[in-house]
Amino acid sequence: MKAKVTAAAEMKIGEIDRRVFGSFIEHLGRAVYGGIYEPGHPLADEEGFRTDVIKLINELGVPVVRYPGGNFVSGYNWEDGVGPVENRPARLELAWGVTEPNKFGTNEFMRWCKKAKTSPMMAVNLGTRGPEEARQLVEYCNHPSGTKYADLRRAHGYNDPWGVKLWCLGNEMDGHWQMGAKTAYEYGRIANEAAKLMKWVDPSIETVLSGSSNRHMKSFGDWEATALDLAYDNVDYVSLHQYYDNKTGDTASFLAKSMELDDFIYSIICTCDFVKAKKRTKKQINLSFDEWNVWYHSNDDYVEKWSTAPHQLEDIYNFEDALVVACMLITLLRHADRVKIACLAQLVNVIAPIMTENGGRAFRQTIFYPFKLMSKYARGAALKPIVDSPKYDCKEFTDVPYLETILTYDKENDEVVFFGVNRSMDENILLDVKLLGFEGYKAVSFESMDGHGVLEENGFDCEKVTMHSNPVPQTDGDVTTADLKPLSFNVIRFRK
Protein backbone atom coordinates (compact mmCIF):
# COMPACT_ATOMS: atom_id res chain seq x y z
CA MET A 1 0.00 0.00 0.00
CA LYS A 2 1.03 3.63 -0.44
CA ALA A 3 0.94 6.58 1.93
CA LYS A 4 2.02 10.20 1.72
CA VAL A 5 3.04 12.63 4.45
CA THR A 6 3.51 16.34 3.82
CA ALA A 7 5.05 18.68 6.39
CA ALA A 8 5.89 22.37 6.20
CA ALA A 9 8.24 24.44 8.32
CA GLU A 10 5.42 26.88 9.12
CA MET A 11 2.96 24.19 10.26
CA LYS A 12 4.01 23.99 13.90
CA ILE A 13 1.86 22.44 16.62
CA GLY A 14 4.07 23.74 19.40
CA GLU A 15 7.48 23.52 21.01
CA ILE A 16 8.31 20.12 22.51
CA ASP A 17 8.90 20.36 26.25
CA ARG A 18 11.69 17.94 27.15
CA ARG A 19 9.72 16.95 30.25
CA VAL A 20 7.31 15.02 28.02
CA PHE A 21 9.93 12.24 28.15
CA GLY A 22 9.75 11.94 31.93
CA SER A 23 9.22 8.81 33.98
CA PHE A 24 8.08 7.68 37.41
CA ILE A 25 9.51 5.96 40.50
CA GLU A 26 7.06 4.84 43.18
CA HIS A 27 7.65 2.88 46.38
CA LEU A 28 6.06 -0.15 44.72
CA GLY A 29 7.51 -3.60 44.16
CA ARG A 30 11.18 -3.42 43.22
CA ALA A 31 11.14 0.03 41.62
CA VAL A 32 13.22 1.47 44.47
CA TYR A 33 14.65 -1.47 46.41
CA GLY A 34 16.38 -3.72 43.89
CA GLY A 35 15.71 -1.24 41.09
CA ILE A 36 17.45 2.09 41.46
CA TYR A 37 18.75 1.38 44.99
CA GLU A 38 20.48 -1.83 46.04
CA PRO A 39 23.32 -1.50 48.54
CA GLY A 40 25.60 -4.49 48.28
CA HIS A 41 25.02 -4.99 44.56
CA PRO A 42 28.34 -5.48 42.70
CA LEU A 43 27.61 -2.37 40.61
CA ALA A 44 26.18 -0.20 43.40
CA ASP A 45 28.07 2.99 44.22
CA GLU A 46 28.99 4.18 47.72
CA GLU A 47 25.41 5.38 48.27
CA GLY A 48 23.76 2.15 47.16
CA PHE A 49 22.62 3.40 43.74
CA ARG A 50 22.87 0.83 40.95
CA THR A 51 25.22 2.33 38.37
CA ASP A 52 24.14 -0.15 35.68
CA VAL A 53 20.58 1.15 36.02
CA ILE A 54 21.74 4.78 35.98
CA LYS A 55 23.62 4.05 32.74
CA LEU A 56 20.45 2.69 31.12
CA ILE A 57 18.40 5.64 32.37
CA ASN A 58 20.94 8.01 30.83
CA GLU A 59 20.60 6.05 27.59
CA LEU A 60 16.83 6.58 27.71
CA GLY A 61 17.24 10.32 28.25
CA VAL A 62 14.77 10.97 31.08
CA PRO A 63 14.64 14.68 32.05
CA VAL A 64 12.23 14.43 35.00
CA VAL A 65 11.12 11.66 37.40
CA ARG A 66 7.93 11.73 39.47
CA TYR A 67 8.26 10.49 43.08
CA PRO A 68 7.24 8.91 45.54
CA GLY A 69 3.86 7.97 44.06
CA GLY A 70 1.37 7.05 42.87
CA ASN A 71 -1.06 5.40 45.26
CA PHE A 72 1.77 5.14 47.78
CA VAL A 73 1.92 8.89 48.36
CA SER A 74 -1.65 9.10 49.70
CA GLY A 75 -0.55 7.43 52.95
CA TYR A 76 3.07 8.59 53.06
CA ASN A 77 4.56 10.58 55.94
CA TRP A 78 7.53 12.27 54.31
CA GLU A 79 9.22 12.68 57.71
CA ASP A 80 9.64 8.88 57.86
CA GLY A 81 12.08 9.06 54.94
CA VAL A 82 14.52 11.70 56.18
CA GLY A 83 17.18 11.81 58.87
CA PRO A 84 19.46 8.98 60.05
CA VAL A 85 18.44 5.76 58.30
CA GLU A 86 18.78 3.70 61.47
CA ASN A 87 16.10 5.86 63.15
CA ARG A 88 13.52 5.60 60.39
CA PRO A 89 10.38 3.55 61.11
CA ALA A 90 9.08 0.70 59.01
CA ARG A 91 5.39 1.20 58.11
CA LEU A 92 2.52 -0.91 56.87
CA GLU A 93 2.04 0.37 53.33
CA LEU A 94 -1.70 0.12 52.66
CA ALA A 95 -1.79 1.03 48.98
CA TRP A 96 0.05 -2.11 47.88
CA GLY A 97 -0.20 -4.31 50.99
CA VAL A 98 3.51 -4.42 51.78
CA THR A 99 5.94 -3.14 54.43
CA GLU A 100 7.86 0.05 53.65
CA PRO A 101 11.27 0.12 55.41
CA ASN A 102 11.92 3.83 54.62
CA LYS A 103 15.60 3.20 53.89
CA PHE A 104 15.23 5.39 50.81
CA GLY A 105 13.50 8.77 51.08
CA THR A 106 13.49 12.38 49.93
CA ASN A 107 17.19 13.16 50.24
CA GLU A 108 18.27 9.85 48.75
CA PHE A 109 15.96 10.53 45.80
CA MET A 110 17.40 14.01 45.30
CA ARG A 111 20.95 12.67 45.34
CA TRP A 112 19.97 9.91 42.94
CA CYS A 113 18.40 12.46 40.55
CA LYS A 114 21.70 14.32 40.33
CA LYS A 115 23.59 11.14 39.52
CA ALA A 116 20.95 10.03 37.02
CA LYS A 117 21.06 13.49 35.34
CA THR A 118 17.35 14.06 35.85
CA SER A 119 15.10 16.43 37.81
CA PRO A 120 12.62 15.64 40.60
CA MET A 121 8.85 15.91 40.27
CA MET A 122 7.64 15.56 43.85
CA ALA A 123 4.15 14.52 44.93
CA VAL A 124 2.56 15.55 48.23
CA ASN A 125 0.12 13.51 50.31
CA LEU A 126 -3.38 14.98 50.08
CA GLY A 127 -5.04 11.71 51.09
CA THR A 128 -4.31 11.15 54.78
CA ARG A 129 -2.59 14.54 55.18
CA GLY A 130 -3.08 18.05 53.86
CA PRO A 131 -1.86 21.58 53.09
CA GLU A 132 0.20 21.96 56.27
CA GLU A 133 2.35 18.90 55.65
CA ALA A 134 2.64 19.85 51.96
CA ARG A 135 4.01 23.31 52.65
CA GLN A 136 6.37 21.85 55.28
CA LEU A 137 7.86 19.54 52.66
CA VAL A 138 8.35 22.46 50.25
CA GLU A 139 10.11 24.36 53.05
CA TYR A 140 12.28 21.32 53.81
CA CYS A 141 13.27 20.93 50.14
CA ASN A 142 13.48 24.51 48.92
CA HIS A 143 14.01 27.07 51.71
CA PRO A 144 17.66 28.04 52.32
CA SER A 145 17.88 28.25 56.13
CA GLY A 146 16.69 29.91 59.31
CA THR A 147 13.36 28.09 59.67
CA LYS A 148 12.32 24.84 61.30
CA TYR A 149 12.17 22.60 58.24
CA ALA A 150 14.99 24.24 56.29
CA ASP A 151 17.22 23.84 59.33
CA LEU A 152 16.01 20.25 59.74
CA ARG A 153 17.29 19.54 56.23
CA ARG A 154 20.59 21.19 57.13
CA ALA A 155 20.77 19.10 60.30
CA HIS A 156 20.38 16.04 58.07
CA GLY A 157 23.53 17.08 56.19
CA TYR A 158 22.15 19.07 53.25
CA ASN A 159 23.04 22.74 53.57
CA ASP A 160 21.89 23.75 50.11
CA PRO A 161 18.18 23.57 49.21
CA TRP A 162 17.17 21.05 46.56
CA GLY A 163 15.14 23.61 44.58
CA VAL A 164 12.33 21.27 43.49
CA LYS A 165 10.25 23.17 40.92
CA LEU A 166 7.47 20.69 40.02
CA TRP A 167 4.90 19.41 42.53
CA CYS A 168 1.94 17.02 42.18
CA LEU A 169 -1.06 17.76 44.41
CA GLY A 170 -1.88 14.21 45.46
CA ASN A 171 -2.66 11.26 43.22
CA GLU A 172 -5.88 9.83 41.72
CA MET A 173 -7.98 11.32 44.49
CA ASP A 174 -11.21 10.31 42.69
CA GLY A 175 -10.45 6.59 43.08
CA HIS A 176 -12.16 4.46 45.74
CA TRP A 177 -8.85 2.56 46.05
CA GLN A 178 -7.06 5.73 47.13
CA MET A 179 -6.33 6.40 50.79
CA GLY A 180 -8.29 9.52 51.69
CA ALA A 181 -10.33 9.51 48.45
CA LYS A 182 -12.40 12.64 47.96
CA THR A 183 -15.21 14.14 45.96
CA ALA A 184 -14.23 16.65 43.29
CA TYR A 185 -15.32 19.52 45.53
CA GLU A 186 -13.42 18.19 48.55
CA TYR A 187 -10.32 17.65 46.48
CA GLY A 188 -10.53 20.99 44.68
CA ARG A 189 -10.69 22.82 48.01
CA ILE A 190 -7.75 20.99 49.61
CA ALA A 191 -5.66 21.14 46.42
CA ASN A 192 -6.21 24.87 46.15
CA GLU A 193 -5.22 25.48 49.77
CA ALA A 194 -2.18 23.21 49.48
CA ALA A 195 -1.00 24.87 46.27
CA LYS A 196 -1.56 28.31 47.78
CA LEU A 197 0.52 27.57 50.86
CA MET A 198 3.21 25.80 48.86
CA LYS A 199 3.56 28.78 46.52
CA TRP A 200 3.64 31.17 49.46
CA VAL A 201 6.69 29.25 50.69
CA ASP A 202 8.27 29.20 47.21
CA PRO A 203 6.58 31.28 44.47
CA SER A 204 8.82 29.78 41.79
CA ILE A 205 7.24 26.29 41.89
CA GLU A 206 4.65 24.81 39.51
CA THR A 207 1.79 22.61 40.70
CA VAL A 208 -0.18 19.79 39.05
CA LEU A 209 -3.86 19.25 39.84
CA SER A 210 -4.84 15.58 40.06
CA GLY A 211 -7.25 14.78 37.24
CA SER A 212 -9.45 11.72 36.79
CA SER A 213 -7.74 8.37 37.36
CA ASN A 214 -8.82 7.44 33.85
CA ARG A 215 -11.42 8.53 31.31
CA HIS A 216 -13.76 5.64 32.24
CA MET A 217 -14.47 6.99 35.72
CA LYS A 218 -18.13 8.01 36.12
CA SER A 219 -17.01 11.45 37.30
CA PHE A 220 -14.68 12.00 34.35
CA GLY A 221 -15.01 15.54 33.01
CA ASP A 222 -17.10 16.77 35.92
CA TRP A 223 -14.14 16.00 38.21
CA GLU A 224 -11.74 18.16 36.22
CA ALA A 225 -14.25 21.00 35.77
CA THR A 226 -15.20 21.12 39.46
CA ALA A 227 -11.70 20.78 40.92
CA LEU A 228 -10.16 23.14 38.39
CA ASP A 229 -12.85 25.75 39.00
CA LEU A 230 -11.83 25.79 42.68
CA ALA A 231 -8.05 25.68 42.22
CA TYR A 232 -7.50 27.41 38.87
CA ASP A 233 -5.53 30.40 40.17
CA ASN A 234 -3.01 28.27 42.09
CA VAL A 235 -2.34 25.37 39.69
CA ASP A 236 -0.44 25.17 36.41
CA TYR A 237 -1.26 21.71 35.03
CA VAL A 238 -3.97 19.06 35.14
CA SER A 239 -2.80 15.44 35.28
CA LEU A 240 -3.98 12.59 33.06
CA HIS A 241 -3.41 8.86 33.61
CA GLN A 242 -3.98 6.08 31.08
CA TYR A 243 -2.88 2.47 30.64
CA TYR A 244 -3.79 0.17 27.74
CA ASP A 245 -3.96 -3.61 27.46
CA ASN A 246 -4.57 -6.39 24.98
CA LYS A 247 -6.31 -8.95 27.17
CA THR A 248 -8.43 -10.11 24.22
CA GLY A 249 -5.48 -10.74 21.90
CA ASP A 250 -6.93 -8.35 19.31
CA THR A 251 -3.77 -6.80 17.86
CA ALA A 252 -5.59 -4.60 15.34
CA SER A 253 -7.62 -2.89 18.09
CA PHE A 254 -4.66 -2.75 20.47
CA LEU A 255 -2.55 -0.86 17.94
CA ALA A 256 -5.41 1.62 17.46
CA LYS A 257 -5.67 2.55 21.16
CA SER A 258 -3.81 5.80 20.50
CA MET A 259 -6.96 7.06 18.76
CA GLU A 260 -8.74 6.84 22.12
CA LEU A 261 -5.74 8.53 23.75
CA ASP A 262 -5.98 11.39 21.27
CA ASP A 263 -9.66 11.90 22.12
CA PHE A 264 -8.90 11.73 25.86
CA ILE A 265 -6.31 14.49 25.61
CA TYR A 266 -8.60 16.65 23.49
CA SER A 267 -11.43 16.23 26.03
CA ILE A 268 -9.24 17.48 28.89
CA ILE A 269 -7.99 20.42 26.82
CA CYS A 270 -11.62 21.37 26.17
CA THR A 271 -12.44 21.11 29.88
CA CYS A 272 -9.49 23.31 30.84
CA ASP A 273 -10.48 25.90 28.26
CA PHE A 274 -14.12 25.81 29.42
CA VAL A 275 -13.03 26.76 32.93
CA LYS A 276 -10.69 29.38 31.47
CA ALA A 277 -13.58 30.94 29.55
CA LYS A 278 -15.87 30.73 32.57
CA LYS A 279 -13.32 32.62 34.66
CA ARG A 280 -12.61 35.15 31.90
CA THR A 281 -8.88 34.75 32.48
CA LYS A 282 -5.88 34.76 30.17
CA LYS A 283 -4.11 32.05 32.18
CA GLN A 284 -3.82 28.76 30.29
CA ILE A 285 -3.73 25.40 32.06
CA ASN A 286 -1.54 22.81 30.36
CA LEU A 287 -1.46 19.03 30.74
CA SER A 288 0.77 16.67 32.69
CA PHE A 289 0.27 13.10 31.44
CA ASP A 290 2.14 11.79 34.45
CA GLU A 291 1.17 8.11 34.22
CA TRP A 292 0.95 6.23 30.94
CA ASN A 293 2.00 2.85 29.59
CA VAL A 294 0.86 -0.61 28.59
CA TRP A 295 -0.12 -2.63 31.68
CA TYR A 296 -1.81 -6.01 31.92
CA HIS A 297 0.72 -8.85 31.85
CA SER A 298 1.19 -8.87 35.64
CA ASN A 299 -2.32 -8.05 36.87
CA ASP A 300 -2.80 -11.47 38.48
CA ASP A 301 0.52 -11.59 40.33
CA TYR A 302 0.40 -12.96 43.89
CA VAL A 303 2.20 -10.85 46.48
CA GLU A 304 2.75 -12.03 50.05
CA LYS A 305 1.00 -9.64 52.44
CA TRP A 306 3.32 -7.24 54.27
CA SER A 307 6.47 -8.45 52.50
CA THR A 308 9.16 -5.90 51.58
CA ALA A 309 9.97 -4.99 47.96
CA PRO A 310 8.37 -8.10 46.42
CA HIS A 311 8.31 -8.95 42.72
CA GLN A 312 5.21 -6.94 41.86
CA LEU A 313 3.72 -5.72 38.57
CA GLU A 314 6.78 -6.87 36.65
CA ASP A 315 5.31 -6.90 33.15
CA ILE A 316 7.53 -8.46 30.50
CA TYR A 317 6.75 -6.51 27.36
CA ASN A 318 6.49 -7.90 23.84
CA PHE A 319 6.87 -6.44 20.38
CA GLU A 320 3.28 -5.25 19.95
CA ASP A 321 3.53 -3.46 23.32
CA ALA A 322 6.51 -1.52 21.94
CA LEU A 323 4.49 -0.48 18.88
CA VAL A 324 1.65 0.75 21.10
CA VAL A 325 4.10 2.73 23.26
CA ALA A 326 5.46 4.31 20.06
CA CYS A 327 1.92 5.25 18.99
CA MET A 328 1.24 6.75 22.42
CA LEU A 329 4.45 8.83 22.25
CA ILE A 330 3.50 10.06 18.78
CA THR A 331 0.08 11.07 20.12
CA LEU A 332 1.61 12.98 23.02
CA LEU A 333 3.77 14.93 20.57
CA ARG A 334 0.74 15.70 18.42
CA HIS A 335 -0.45 17.73 21.43
CA ALA A 336 2.90 19.40 22.11
CA ASP A 337 1.17 22.76 22.45
CA ARG A 338 -0.63 21.59 25.62
CA VAL A 339 1.01 18.36 26.86
CA LYS A 340 4.13 19.73 28.53
CA ILE A 341 4.93 16.90 30.98
CA ALA A 342 4.51 13.14 30.66
CA CYS A 343 5.78 10.27 32.79
CA LEU A 344 6.15 6.73 31.50
CA ALA A 345 5.03 4.60 34.43
CA GLN A 346 7.29 3.32 35.70
CA LEU A 347 11.05 3.41 35.19
CA VAL A 348 12.54 0.21 36.65
CA ASN A 349 11.03 -3.27 37.26
CA VAL A 350 7.42 -2.13 37.84
CA ILE A 351 5.68 -1.89 34.42
CA ALA A 352 8.97 -0.50 33.22
CA PRO A 353 11.38 -0.28 30.26
CA ILE A 354 14.26 -1.52 32.46
CA MET A 355 14.28 -4.84 34.34
CA THR A 356 16.81 -6.00 36.91
CA GLU A 357 17.79 -9.04 38.93
CA ASN A 358 18.44 -8.58 42.64
CA GLY A 359 22.20 -8.80 42.86
CA GLY A 360 22.47 -9.42 39.14
CA ARG A 361 21.89 -8.14 35.64
CA ALA A 362 19.66 -5.59 33.95
CA PHE A 363 18.11 -5.56 30.48
CA ARG A 364 16.22 -3.27 28.11
CA GLN A 365 12.61 -4.23 27.49
CA THR A 366 11.04 -3.88 24.06
CA ILE A 367 9.37 -0.59 25.03
CA PHE A 368 12.80 0.86 25.88
CA TYR A 369 13.68 1.43 22.25
CA PRO A 370 10.86 3.63 20.87
CA PHE A 371 11.11 5.76 24.02
CA LYS A 372 14.88 6.08 23.64
CA LEU A 373 14.75 7.06 19.96
CA MET A 374 11.99 9.61 20.43
CA SER A 375 13.58 11.08 23.54
CA LYS A 376 16.84 11.42 21.62
CA TYR A 377 15.57 12.87 18.36
CA ALA A 378 12.21 14.59 19.03
CA ARG A 379 13.59 18.07 19.66
CA GLY A 380 12.43 21.57 18.81
CA ALA A 381 8.90 21.89 17.43
CA ALA A 382 6.28 19.27 16.59
CA LEU A 383 4.97 19.73 13.04
CA LYS A 384 1.38 19.11 11.99
CA PRO A 385 1.64 16.75 9.01
CA ILE A 386 -0.92 16.22 6.28
CA VAL A 387 -1.29 12.45 6.17
CA ASP A 388 -2.77 10.48 3.28
CA SER A 389 -2.93 6.89 4.51
CA PRO A 390 -5.14 3.86 3.85
CA LYS A 391 -7.37 2.96 6.80
CA TYR A 392 -8.90 -0.12 8.39
CA ASP A 393 -11.76 -1.05 10.71
CA CYS A 394 -11.48 -3.34 13.74
CA LYS A 395 -13.64 -4.45 16.67
CA GLU A 396 -13.08 -1.31 18.75
CA PHE A 397 -12.40 1.40 16.15
CA THR A 398 -13.23 2.49 12.63
CA ASP A 399 -11.19 4.45 10.11
CA VAL A 400 -7.86 3.66 11.72
CA PRO A 401 -4.95 5.00 9.64
CA TYR A 402 -2.41 2.28 8.92
CA LEU A 403 0.23 4.97 9.37
CA GLU A 404 0.55 6.68 12.78
CA THR A 405 3.02 9.55 12.46
CA ILE A 406 4.49 12.83 13.66
CA LEU A 407 7.41 14.96 12.45
CA THR A 408 9.62 17.24 14.49
CA TYR A 409 11.82 20.17 13.49
CA ASP A 410 14.95 21.02 15.44
CA LYS A 411 15.86 24.42 14.01
CA GLU A 412 18.96 24.75 16.18
CA ASN A 413 20.49 21.60 14.69
CA ASP A 414 18.93 21.86 11.21
CA GLU A 415 17.18 18.50 11.55
CA VAL A 416 13.72 17.18 10.70
CA VAL A 417 12.72 13.75 12.03
CA PHE A 418 9.88 11.48 10.88
CA PHE A 419 8.46 9.02 13.43
CA GLY A 420 5.96 6.49 12.15
CA VAL A 421 4.28 3.19 12.97
CA ASN A 422 2.95 0.90 10.25
CA ARG A 423 -0.03 -0.81 11.90
CA SER A 424 -0.58 -3.27 9.08
CA MET A 425 0.15 -6.86 10.04
CA ASP A 426 0.94 -8.04 6.52
CA GLU A 427 1.58 -5.14 4.12
CA ASN A 428 4.48 -2.80 3.57
CA ILE A 429 3.80 0.92 3.23
CA LEU A 430 5.56 2.63 0.35
CA LEU A 431 5.87 6.07 1.90
CA ASP A 432 6.50 9.45 0.33
CA VAL A 433 7.61 12.17 2.76
CA LYS A 434 7.34 15.65 1.27
CA LEU A 435 9.07 18.48 3.14
CA LEU A 436 7.99 22.01 2.21
CA GLY A 437 10.20 24.94 3.16
CA PHE A 438 13.15 22.71 3.96
CA GLU A 439 15.38 23.40 0.98
CA GLY A 440 18.47 21.24 0.91
CA TYR A 441 17.27 18.71 3.47
CA LYS A 442 17.91 15.05 2.67
CA ALA A 443 17.43 11.77 4.52
CA VAL A 444 20.60 10.85 6.40
CA SER A 445 19.49 7.82 8.46
CA PHE A 446 16.64 5.30 8.68
CA GLU A 447 16.19 3.12 11.78
CA SER A 448 13.35 0.72 12.39
CA MET A 449 12.00 -1.94 14.73
CA ASP A 450 10.38 -4.65 12.63
CA GLY A 451 10.41 -8.30 11.63
CA HIS A 452 9.31 -9.69 15.00
CA GLY A 453 6.34 -11.75 16.12
CA VAL A 454 3.85 -9.69 18.12
CA LEU A 455 4.54 -11.74 21.27
CA GLU A 456 8.33 -11.71 20.99
CA GLU A 457 10.10 -10.45 24.14
CA ASN A 458 13.51 -9.43 25.42
CA GLY A 459 15.20 -10.97 28.45
CA PHE A 460 18.35 -11.07 30.54
CA ASP A 461 20.04 -13.41 28.10
CA CYS A 462 18.89 -11.88 24.82
CA GLU A 463 17.66 -8.48 23.68
CA LYS A 464 16.42 -9.47 20.24
CA VAL A 465 13.59 -6.94 19.84
CA THR A 466 15.54 -3.77 19.17
CA MET A 467 16.16 -1.11 16.53
CA HIS A 468 18.28 -1.68 13.43
CA SER A 469 19.66 0.51 10.67
CA ASN A 470 18.38 0.44 7.07
CA PRO A 471 19.76 1.87 3.82
CA VAL A 472 19.19 5.63 3.67
CA PRO A 473 16.07 6.43 1.59
CA GLN A 474 16.56 8.39 -1.60
CA THR A 475 15.52 12.05 -1.71
CA ASP A 476 14.41 13.56 -5.01
CA GLY A 477 13.82 17.28 -4.68
CA ASP A 478 11.56 17.70 -1.66
CA VAL A 479 10.24 14.09 -1.65
CA THR A 480 11.85 11.13 0.12
CA THR A 481 10.58 7.60 -0.53
CA ALA A 482 10.90 4.87 2.11
CA ASP A 483 9.62 1.34 2.54
CA LEU A 484 8.01 0.73 5.95
CA LYS A 485 7.76 -2.95 6.86
CA PRO A 486 4.55 -4.46 8.29
CA LEU A 487 4.21 -3.96 12.06
CA SER A 488 7.10 -1.53 12.35
CA PHE A 489 8.28 1.54 14.21
CA ASN A 490 10.35 3.82 11.97
CA VAL A 491 12.62 6.84 12.47
CA ILE A 492 13.92 8.77 9.45
CA ARG A 493 16.21 11.75 10.05
CA PHE A 494 16.64 14.58 7.55
CA ARG A 495 19.48 17.10 7.74
CA LYS A 496 20.35 20.19 5.77
Side-chain angles (χ1 to χ4, degrees):
M1 73 180 86
K2 293 184 178 181
K4 183 178 180 180
V5 174
T6 304
E10 295 80 9
M11 296 172 63
K12 295 180 182 178
I13 298 170
E15 291 297 315
I16 299 167
D17 193 316
R18 288 291 305 147
R19 296 176 299 176
V20 80
F21 297 106
S23 193
F24 180 27
I25 284 289
E26 181 174 2
H27 283 256
L28 165 58
R30 296 190 306 121
V32 174
Y33 307 109
I36 64 173
Y37 178 73
E38 191 178 350
H41 188 279
L43 296 176
D45 66 12
E46 69 282 357
E47 296 185 87
F49 305 144
R50 284 189 59 159
T51 58
D52 57 338
V53 172
I54 287 176
K55 184 178 179 180
L56 290 175
I57 291 167
N58 289 338
E59 187 180 331
L60 268 182
V62 178
V64 65
V65 176
R66 182 170 171 242
Y67 173 87
N71 295 348
F72 171 84
V73 78
S74 291
Y76 182 51
N77 299 331
W78 67 266
E79 302 92 335
D80 291 346
V82 297
V85 173
E86 62 273 16
N87 296 337
R88 299 181 191 177
R91 300 278 192 186
L92 295 182
E93 205 290 282
L94 303 183
W96 301 105
V98 297
T99 299
E100 170 55 50
N102 284 308
K103 304 299 183 185
F104 184 101
T106 299
N107 293 312
E108 286 81 13
F109 177 66
M110 299 300 172
R111 294 203 308 270
W112 176 84
C113 281
K114 287 184 179 295
K115 291 190 174 183
K117 299 177 183 177
T118 189
S119 298
M121 179 182 187
M122 290 292 287
V124 297
N125 177 359
L126 294 186
T128 61
R129 308 187 90 184
E132 174 65 6
E133 292 81 8
R135 69 99 175 166
Q136 290 170 0
L137 181 56
V138 175
E139 181 182 322
Y140 181 89
C141 290
N142 289 6
H143 197 67
S145 64
T147 62
K148 177 178 178 179
Y149 292 100
D151 287 346
L152 180 63
R153 181 196 69 244
R154 291 168 65 89
H156 292 157
Y158 306 97
N159 289 332
D160 296 330
W162 294 115
V164 180
K165 297 303 180 187
L166 195 54
W167 295 82
C168 299
L169 303 170
N171 174 77
E172 296 185 357
M173 300 309 300
D174 60 333
H176 63 83
W177 57 87
Q178 203 71 206
M179 289 176 278
K182 292 170 173 59
T183 65
Y185 182 82
E186 290 170 336
Y187 171 70
R189 285 281 296 130
I190 196 172
N192 182 60
E193 293 304 313
K196 182 174 71 178
L197 269 61
M198 292 162 73
K199 288 188 172 185
W200 283 356
V201 172
D202 183 352
S204 71
I205 67 171
E206 293 183 304
T207 55
V208 182
L209 188 80
S210 181
S212 297
S213 302
N214 59 72
R215 69 173 311 191
H216 303 295
M217 301 293 287
K218 290 182 179 180
S219 59
F220 171 67
D222 285 338
W223 173 275
E224 284 80 3
T226 299
L228 193 55
D229 188 53
L230 291 163
Y232 200 96
D233 292 341
N234 289 308
V235 301
D236 304 285
Y237 306 91
V238 170
S239 77
L240 298 82
H241 292 177
Q242 185 62 59
Y243 299 96
Y244 288 120
D245 67 71
N246 189 18
K247 294 177 182 177
T248 63
D250 180 1
T251 297
S253 293
F254 188 38
L255 293 174
K257 293 286 189 180
S258 57
M259 294 182 66
E260 181 181 297
L261 179 65
D262 188 78
D263 184 63
F264 181 23
I265 294 171
Y266 182 69
S267 297
I268 299 299
I269 291 172
C270 291
T271 305
C272 291
D273 290 349
F274 160 71
V275 180
K276 176 183 178 182
K278 179 182 175 183
K279 288 185 172 293
R280 298 172 178 83
T281 179
K282 293 182 179 180
K283 178 181 178 180
Q284 176 172 285
I285 300 294
N286 289 320
L287 276 53
S288 173
F289 216 124
D290 46 43
E291 283 190 37
W292 69 271
N293 205 343
V294 171
W295 177 14
Y296 71 103
H297 299 286
S298 62
N299 283 354
D300 298 325
D301 282 359
Y302 169 77
V303 174
E304 183 181 352
K305 195 76 168 176
W306 310 130
S307 56
T308 297
H311 291 265
Q312 194 170 13
L313 305 186
E314 296 190 3
D315 281 43
I316 300 299
Y317 290 110
N318 57 40
F319 176 52
E320 69 175 6
D321 297 330
L323 295 179
V324 172
V325 163
C327 288
M328 294 178 78
L329 281 164
I330 288 169
T331 303
L332 293 176
L333 292 184
R334 272 209 301 271
H335 293 278
D337 56 332
R338 299 298 290 272
V339 178
K340 297 299 182 181
I341 304 162
C343 301
L344 178 70
Q346 294 186 19
L347 186 53
V348 186
N349 289 332
V350 177
I351 50 173
I354 300 168
M355 291 295 296
T356 73
E357 292 175 316
N358 290 341
R361 300 165 291 175
F363 76 89
R364 305 167 187 83
Q365 294 237 55
T366 62
I367 66 171
F368 184 100
Y369 292 97
F371 190 101
K372 170 187 171 179
L373 268 289
M374 295 189 73
S375 174
K376 183 176 182 179
Y377 294 126
R379 303 297 177 97
L383 301 180
K384 185 175 179 62
I386 299 171
V387 182
D388 182 7
S389 169
K391 299 179 180 180
Y392 69 92
D393 295 338
C394 54
K395 288 183 180 179
E396 296 186 37
F397 303 93
T398 58
D399 293 327
V400 182
Y402 278 108
L403 178 64
E404 179 78 288
T405 185
I406 191 69
L407 286 90
T408 62
Y409 172 38
D410 184 354
K411 185 177 181 179
E412 184 178 343
N413 293 307
D414 286 328
E415 183 168 273
V416 174
V417 185
F418 163 91
F419 302 96
V421 172
N422 179 1
R423 292 183 171 113
S424 174
M425 288 180 272
D426 49 23
E427 285 194 60
N428 290 34
I429 291 178
L430 186 61
L431 173 70
D432 283 346
V433 179
K434 186 172 186 177
L435 299 180
L436 303 177
F438 292 102
E439 186 176 350
Y441 281 72
K442 292 185 177 182
V444 295
S445 71
F446 177 17
E447 295 180 75
S448 64
M449 175 185 277
D450 55 50
H452 303 285
V454 291
L455 302 182
E456 202 164 342
E457 303 168 345
N458 289 343
F460 288 106
D461 296 313
C462 182
E463 293 182 14
K464 51 190 173 182
V465 182
T466 182
M467 304 292 295
H468 64 86
S469 296
N470 301 296
V472 177
Q474 294 299 305
T475 300
D476 184 7
D478 57 8
V479 177
T480 299
T481 302
D483 189 20
L484 310 185
K485 299 279 180 25
L487 291 179
S488 62
F489 168 60
N490 306 271
V491 181
I492 304 174
R493 295 168 59 219
F494 302 82
R495 293 190 66 85
K496 193 172 182 178

